[in-house]
Structure formats: structure tokens, C-alpha cells
Amino acid sequence: MSISKTQIKICGITSVDQALEIAELGVDAIGIISVEESPRYVLPKEKKEIFYTLSKFFPEIKRVSVVKNVPINKILEVIKNNKSENVLQLHGDEDISYCKKIKENLKKIELWKAFRIKQTKDLDKISLYSNFIDAVLLDSWNKETYGGSGIRINQKYLEDLKFNNKWWLAGGISIDWVKKIIENIKPDGIDISSSIEIYPGVKDISKTKELVDTIRKYDLQKNNLYKN
């Protein structure tokens, strides 16, 4: 029997040192915010350095660039100039046509599309994207920001979800919610940012380790339950 492991992404990293510390914890993906209005925004030159360093020392980690409503020609130029990025996460209002064009031009890059969920009908359109993206990321809806708000999606919207693509859960992920997420919601991955921060863009490494260890503990419990 294969062992089920919940993927872990830590998002909103702003320095090389923190990227390396968090990579050491055994996470599966590290995200950098390329949205200028975000308090976790990282300049292109600094992002390039972080991703290059990760690719050198932790090549197996997914290096996720988070963007929002960027013209396609600019996206293509940025990716061309930063070969260390291997995942592009669209966190805005990008439509199916946009995703299709990105996939056609960036065949070696994974494309993740974030959807902000306010009510159940927001889930209905996601299946239409399935042929043009590699993964779905569900985040909470907030009128003030497109991400990193620390607000959770209503859990009743999340149970028994099925997508054609792998999917990640974001929004208010904290230790007290992890057990329910793994047992009841069962996403392929968990995306964590604000709940482990000292302030926006700076993670508390001890909190991050505690959360990663907790996820792995419940993964192990779940697998042992299935074995029995």
C-alpha cells in the first residue's frame, strides 16, 4: 500500500536564510509573492536569488512564484529570465483563456490556479479549468486582499471535494485545524503563511516546525488507521 503524505507549502518567504531554514524542515514547496501591493512582496532580483539558492541546495522542493492579474507577455518574460522557478501560481482573476495560453508557452512549468471561495457556487467553475492547469488552490474570499488574510473557508464547503487535478487548501491553516483537515477534508496539499508569522514576510521557525511536525504526525496516524 502506498503511503499518503500531505504536501506542505510555506508561502510568503522573503529571504534566503528563511527559505533554507524552512526547506530543512522537509516541506514540499516554498512560495514567494510577486504581487507588489502585498506586505510579503519580494523584488524580482531577490526572488531570483532565493529560488536559485533553493534549486542548488534543495532541488526537489517546488519553487512557487505567486502572481496576480499580470499580462501574459510579462509573465513569459519573467519566467524566461528566472529558470529557477518551476511553479507559477495564479492568484488573481485569470480566466481559462489566460491559463491555456500560459500552458501553451510554458510547458516545463507547473501551473496552479487559486480560487477564492465565498460560497459553494464558487466551486462550480473550477472543473472548467482542469485541462489547462496542474493544480487547484482553494483560498478564502476577502474583500481587502487576494490572499494571506488568515481567514478560513467555511469547512462545510470543503468536505468530500473531488477535482480532476491535485488540490491545495489555503487560508487560516493552523495547528488546531490540521487534524480535521487531514481526516475530513483530505486535500493533496496544505498552503500555510500568516499563522506562522512573526510579522508579514517573516516566519517563526519554531512555529513552522511545530506545524510541519503536526501535519506529519496526523499523516502517520491516518496511514496506520488504513493499514489496520
Side-chain angles (χ1 to χ4, degrees):
M1 185 192 80
S2 62
I3 299 299
S4 173
K5 175 188 170 188
T6 305
Q7 300 282 291
I8 301 173
K9 171 176 171 248
I10 305 297
C11 201
I13 301 304
T14 57
S15 73
V16 169
D17 288 345
Q18 285 229 313
L20 292 174
E21 285 183 288
I22 288 168
E24 287 277 5
L25 301 179
V27 303
D28 304 284
I30 284 179
I32 294 180
I33 307 298
S34 298
V35 181
E36 290 188 19
E37 64 264 32
S38 169
R40 302 171 183 86
Y41 172 67
V42 172
L43 291 167
K45 183 178 179 181
E46 295 170 353
K47 178 179 71 169
K48 191 172 184 177
E49 181 185 6
I50 295 169
F51 279 160
Y52 172 77
T53 305
L54 283 173
S55 70
K56 184 177 179 181
F57 293 103
F58 297 92
E60 74 284 356
I61 287 181
K62 294 183 185 295
R63 301 174 294 278
V64 186
S65 183
V66 181
V67 300
K68 184 192 82 170
N69 300 335
V70 179
I72 290 177
N73 62 335
K74 187 173 181 181
I75 287 286
L76 298 179
E77 180 183 346
V78 168
I79 298 295
K80 182 180 179 182
N81 292 326
N82 188 358
K83 292 182 168 44
S84 297
E85 297 182 20
N86 55 16
V87 180
L88 182 65
Q89 179 179 316
L90 306 178
H91 216 97
D93 307 303
E94 300 87 2
D95 60 16
I96 293 172
S97 175
Y98 184 106
C99 295
K100 183 178 180 181
K101 288 178 183 176
I102 292 290
K103 285 299 292 179
E104 288 172 349
N105 286 279
L106 297 174
K107 298 185 185 300
K108 295 182 179 180
I109 299 291
E110 282 190 39
L111 185 63
W112 300 1
K113 177 71 183 85
F115 298 88
R116 299 192 299 152
I117 308 303
K118 185 178 182 181
Q119 48 197 339
T120 52
K121 70 177 184 179
D122 295 328
L123 296 163
D124 296 341
K125 65 180 179 181
I126 295 176
S127 63
L128 301 175
Y129 284 76
S130 62
N131 291 330
F132 310 108
I133 59 177
D134 298 291
V136 168
L137 187 141
L138 301 185
D139 202 352
S140 56
W141 184 91
N142 183 283
K143 68 179 181 179
E144 303 294 336
T145 178
Y146 274 67
S149 67
I151 298 173
R152 295 178 182 177
I153 304 171
N154 189 324
Q155 188 169 318
K156 70 180 182 181
Y157 301 159
L158 298 172
E159 296 181 9
D160 301 317
L161 282 181
K162 302 291 183 187
F163 296 108
N164 293 326
N165 311 93
K166 291 186 180 297
W167 74 280
W168 295 73
L169 178 63
I173 309 295
S174 57
I175 285 177
D176 66 291
W177 197 25
V178 164
K179 188 172 189 288
K180 288 184 178 179
I181 290 173
I182 292 174
E183 290 182 351
N184 301 327
I185 301 173
K186 305 180 182 72
D188 296 292
I190 297 176
D191 188 336
I192 306 148
S193 182
S194 60
S195 70
I196 52 172
E197 288 183 324
I198 299 169
Y199 54 84
V202 177
K203 309 305 183 192
D204 183 317
I205 299 301
S206 62
K207 278 187 179 179
T208 306
K209 183 180 187 306
E210 185 181 6
L211 189 50
V212 170
D213 289 347
T214 301
I215 292 168
R216 297 302 181 219
K217 179 183 77 173
Y218 288 128
D219 271 343
L220 184 61
Q221 289 181 6
K222 181 181 69 174
N223 282 298
N224 287 338
L225 180 64
Y226 289 158
K227 283 181 184 178
N228 296 328

